[in-house]
Amino acid sequence: MMTMEPASLESLRVLFHSDDYIVVDKHWDIRIDSKMWYEKHTVQTQLRHRFPQLADPSTYYGFRFCHQLDFSTSGALCVALNKAAAGQAYRCFRDRTVTKAYLALVRGWMERETQTLDFSIGKNSSEGKTHMMCIEGTEGCENPKPCQTELTVLEFGLYDEEPVTKVLLQPLTGRTHQLRVHCSAIGHPIVGDFTYSSGADDTPFRMMLHAHLLHIPLEPQPLLVCAGDPFLPTVDPKWLPQRSLLTLKATVDALLEQRVEEGRRLKEERAKQRQVEEKEKRKGSSRQRMVENEEERRQCQEWLSEWAGD
């Protein structure tokens, strides 16, 4: 279980371990890797400390991280232990068949229980904000790209006596700072998000964003990991739930069932597409053979005519 204590070299929590992958519960306020000498604690150094025999000297950091989590975000982080495993996971992320869901505490009480956040996000080029992302149409927003997040309300409560809502966020795209920017855009910034509150929300000990669910449809066995719920009164007594709408387990189960059905339909569509392509290929081959046969007959007739003329 995640605690309020800061990260240490020994605090790495392993959620899943096989010959091909390790999934860890990344601590809040720790980088995945860093080239800076003063960054003593990173996930990479934690992995080297716990599993020195698994470090791959052919890679810069020793481990192949399949995806990214922000410095301030905690939760499920997948690491590939060999090149083939990394390639298979990469294809799943590239094809957008991976399911990720995050828990968050956001400021205020939300009126809508479910909603799709659809705001294009781009790089902020404004002076002093180049480390940030921004919504399309705001000043300094460069190269915005389409971006969608599904939001489901789980609970209403108080954090340090201020109204907050506990939500489950499912990113449908994978833009930098996507969840943080989207929550801020609807007027419900994530609790403890110092960056997207313009430095105002600096009282909480961490940013309340946690990668709870990770499902990668690997073959032959999918990888499914849940990283628990750190936003509980037993972990942080400043969080006081008052009214529950949905349980986390039921919401995640419904999400996974939906994704499995979508994956099944996608496989069927791809199989049909392959059949069509193979059929067209066979037709093309038949047409080519017909052309070749006609050409052979023509050449034979010419030869026979010439031979008869002799």
Side-chain angles (χ1 to χ4, degrees):
M1 176 62 68
M2 192 76 66
T3 69
M4 296 175 67
E5 297 296 322
S8 67
L9 200 60
E10 291 79 19
S11 64
L12 183 70
R13 181 168 174 250
V14 177
L15 302 171
F16 173 84
H17 189 185
S18 70
D19 291 339
D20 292 323
Y21 301 96
I22 292 178
V23 181
V24 301
D25 190 356
K26 177 190 169 295
H27 207 283
W28 44 272
D29 284 7
I30 184 174
R31 301 190 192 284
I32 292 176
D33 46 45
S34 177
K35 297 178 181 179
M36 303 302 178
W37 63 269
Y38 52 82
E39 294 279 3
K40 302 297 183 184
H41 296 148
T42 65
V43 178
Q44 180 262 334
T45 57
Q46 288 180 325
L47 285 166
R48 278 187 178 275
H49 179 74
R50 177 78 68 86
F51 304 106
Q53 74 282 6
L54 297 180
D56 186 344
S58 68
T59 64
Y60 186 88
Y61 292 110
F63 295 92
R64 296 176 173 89
F65 295 99
C66 298
H67 56 113
Q68 296 290 315
L69 287 180
D70 289 346
F71 169 77
S72 302
T73 306
S74 60
L77 175 66
C78 184
V79 184
L81 298 179
N82 55 69
K83 192 173 182 180
Q88 190 178 6
Y90 165 76
R91 286 187 289 274
C92 293
F93 279 95
R94 178 198 62 194
D95 296 340
R96 295 187 180 181
T97 57
V98 174
T99 302
K100 296 189 288 183
Y102 293 70
L103 284 167
L105 297 182
V106 300
R107 294 288 179 187
W109 288 335
M110 289 192 167
E111 295 182 0
R112 297 173 60 184
E113 297 178 4
T114 61
Q115 55 184 304
T116 300
L117 311 182
D118 191 355
F119 302 97
S120 294
I121 291 177
K123 185 76 175 174
N124 196 331
S125 62
S126 301
E127 186 177 354
K129 296 184 178 181
T130 55
H131 61 295
M132 300 172 64
M133 307 297 284
C134 54
I135 295 296
E136 184 178 21
T138 58
E139 184 180 355
C141 189
E142 291 185 349
N143 193 27
K145 296 180 180 179
C147 206
Q148 297 84 34
T149 301
E150 297 288 351
L151 183 151
T152 303
V153 171
L154 301 176
E155 286 182 296
F156 298 105
L158 301 174
Y159 188 85
D160 204 11
E161 302 182 353
E162 296 289 334
V164 298
T165 306
K166 188 175 188 175
V167 298
L168 189 72
L169 301 167
Q170 183 195 357
L172 304 182
T173 48
R175 309 298 180 207
T176 301
H177 297 179
Q178 173 176 325
L179 304 180
R180 300 164 66 181
V181 174
H182 272 178
C183 288
S184 179
I186 60 171
H188 295 280
I190 295 172
V191 174
D193 192 344
F194 183 83
T195 300
Y196 289 97
S197 66
S198 300
D201 200 352
D202 60 352
T203 303
F205 73 99
R206 61 161 294 182
M207 183 178 71
M208 306 300 177
L209 180 62
H210 177 74
H212 171 72
L213 170 72
L214 179 64
H215 177 261
I216 308 177
L218 303 168
E219 297 289 350
Q221 183 64 39
L223 189 155
L224 173 61
V225 176
C226 288
D229 179 1
F231 307 135
L232 301 170
T234 52
V235 177
D236 185 356
K238 288 187 176 182
W239 160 236
L240 181 63
Q242 291 191 322
R243 183 163 68 93
S244 177
L245 293 185
L246 296 169
T247 66
L248 177 58
K249 184 179 185 308
T251 307
V252 168
D253 287 347
L255 170 60
L256 286 173
E257 186 177 342
Q258 177 187 348
R259 289 292 286 175
V260 167
E261 178 61 23
E262 289 173 356
R264 184 188 63 78
R265 288 200 300 267
L266 183 62
K267 282 185 178 179
E268 289 178 354
E269 290 172 4
R270 287 176 175 172
K272 289 178 181 178
Q273 183 62 30
R274 283 196 297 269
Q275 289 176 356
V276 170
E277 291 173 354
E278 289 172 0
K279 190 174 181 181
E280 288 298 320
K281 188 176 180 180
R282 286 195 296 270
K283 282 183 179 179
S285 297
S286 298
R287 285 194 294 268
Q288 182 64 28
R289 284 195 298 272
M290 289 176 63
V291 170
E292 290 174 352
N293 290 338
E294 287 295 329
E295 180 65 17
E296 289 172 357
R297 279 195 290 271
R298 186 186 63 78
Q299 290 179 354
C300 185
Q301 288 294 332
E302 288 180 358
W303 180 81
L304 287 173
S305 298
E306 292 174 359
W307 182 79
D310 289 343

